[in-house]
Amino acid sequence: QVQLVESGGGLVQPGGSLNLSCAASRSTFRIDDMGWYRQAPGKERELVATITTDGRRNFADDVKGRFAIARDNANNTVYLQMNALKSEDTALYYCATEVCSAYGCSLFWGQGTLITVSS
């Protein structure tokens, strides 16, 4: 079992910036890809960005150039730097991490942190 603790959500004005972090508890299993997803009111959960253990990144089209993702493998922590925020970025942001063992991989989720972009 892996627990994810997110921090950094809140209210920000359009054009502003926020930084999210997510720390995964220690695990005897291998922590693989880490990333962020979001769910806006009335919409399905969608990918925001992911990062592999060797630093390969993937971004949703609408955040490319505005968001950055990084990770600290030694501390099982993933970060999301969000710049030039828009009202449509308002959502509940979830951290996710893939944890793998000899039996396969499972996806674990954080509890979610709310980002509200509003003037």
Side-chain angles (χ1 to χ4, degrees):
Q1 192 77 3
V2 173
Q3 292 184 327
L4 301 175
V5 179
E6 301 153 345
S7 61
L11 174 66
V12 63
Q13 292 187 342
S17 297
L18 276 178
N19 190 23
L20 302 181
S21 64
C22 172
S25 60
R26 289 189 176 184
S27 172
T28 56
F29 302 115
R30 186 181 80 248
I31 290 180
D32 210 337
D33 292 0
M34 302 185 82
W36 294 90
Y37 292 73
R38 67 186 180 187
Q39 187 167 17
K43 294 187 177 181
E44 294 189 353
R45 191 174 299 188
E46 62 179 8
L47 178 145
V48 177
T50 60
I51 183 169
T52 63
T53 53
D54 60 357
R56 285 174 288 133
R57 295 164 170 84
N58 181 45
F59 294 93
D61 287 343
D62 59 351
V63 306
K64 285 180 181 177
R66 299 190 297 123
F67 290 12
I69 188 169
R71 67 186 287 170
D72 178 351
N73 290 331
N75 293 299
N76 295 330
T77 301
V78 63
Y79 305 94
L80 184 69
Q81 176 65 43
M82 302 180 290
N83 301 314
L85 284 160
K86 307 173 182 179
S87 58
E88 50 264 45
D89 293 318
T90 295
L92 196 58
Y93 282 71
Y94 294 92
C95 171
T97 186
E98 188 177 50
V99 180
C100 299
S101 70
Y103 303 101
C105 298
S106 299
L107 196 61
F108 288 84
W109 296 91
Q111 77 282 3
T113 185
L114 181 63
I115 303 293
T116 302
V117 184
S118 176
S119 54

